Each structure stands twice: as C-alpha cells, then as structure tokens.
Amino acid sequence: QVQLVESGGGSVQAGGSLRLSCAASVSTFSLTWLAWFRQAPGKEREGVAALFTVSGATVYADSVKGRFTISQDNAQNTVYLQMNSLKPEDTAMYYCASTSNTVWGSHRLRAGSYIYWGQGTQVTVSS
C-alpha cells in the first residue's frame, strides 16, 4: 500500500507563491505517474499537473500553465508543486496522487486514472 503525505499549503495573497510537497512511502521509481489534483467546494476534482517518473515528462491543465511547475526528487521520494502568480480561483484542497499503471493522453489528468491518494492540503488565495 502506497501512502502519500502532502504538506506546504497555506494562505497567501494573490500574486504570491507556495510550494506543495508530497512524500511517498515507496520509491517513486516504483510509480509511473505522480500528479496533483485540486477540488474547490461544490466543484469536481480537477487535474492540475502530472509527471511521468521514468522520463520526467510533464503535463499541465491549461488554467495553470506557465504558473505551476511539478517536479520530483527521487532521492527523497517526493513530488513538488511550485505555484507562482497565484489567483483567488486557485483556492482549493490540493491532493497528491500516484499510480503504477500506464496512463495515456487526457487520462493523465483524470482522477480515475490514479490509485493512491493523499489526504490533501488546503490552499487559500485572497484578493
């Protein structure tokens, strides 16, 4: 069983930055995809960014391209989400997710493609 533990959430003003961390209980080399999702109250869970652990290839939601960066530290079994130029609409609970399965195309940012989930960390951006 893979456990994921997020940290780094908090409250910031619009235009600010936060870095989220997600520590995995297993080697990230044993996982194929690591991803970040978010869910605002009353909305569906949305894929934000995903990373293919083998090559480091990444994919982002259009809403965060150019502002968010996903990265991995295999020595620490950790995946990060650097969030810059934050906007009030980025306010949500952010979840780390992973899978050891093969995922292609648009499925890379779909919640149903991921098996393991963290408990989430809250990000609040004020205007």
Side-chain angles (χ1 to χ4, degrees):
Q1 184 71 15
V2 177
Q3 293 184 332
L4 303 172
V5 179
E6 303 98 333
S7 62
S11 297
V12 296
Q13 290 191 330
S17 298
L18 282 173
R19 189 177 80 155
L20 305 183
S21 300
C22 172
S25 61
V26 299
S27 169
T28 48
F29 287 118
S30 68
L31 304 167
T32 53
W33 286 90
L34 296 165
W36 288 95
F37 287 76
R38 66 186 182 187
Q39 188 167 20
K43 294 189 177 182
E44 293 187 355
R45 192 166 294 192
E46 171 193 21
V48 174
L51 181 148
F52 185 46
T53 61
V54 175
S55 66
T58 58
V59 60
Y60 295 93
D62 288 343
S63 58
V64 306
K65 279 181 182 176
R67 300 189 299 122
F68 290 11
T69 303
I70 186 172
S71 62
Q72 61 179 338
D73 182 337
N74 292 323
Q76 299 295 323
N77 297 326
T78 299
V79 61
Y80 302 100
L81 185 68
Q82 178 66 44
M83 305 185 294
N84 299 327
S85 301
L86 282 162
K87 304 176 181 179
E89 51 263 44
D90 294 318
T91 295
M93 185 71 78
Y94 282 71
Y95 297 91
C96 176
S98 68
T99 183
S100 54
N101 294 331
T102 300
V103 184
W104 297 98
S106 62
H107 294 277
R108 294 171 293 178
L109 290 179
R110 292 184 182 175
S113 300
Y114 292 84
I115 301 172
Y116 309 109
W117 291 85
Q119 294 300 306
T121 185
Q122 178 67 38
V123 172
T124 302
V125 184
S126 58
S127 57

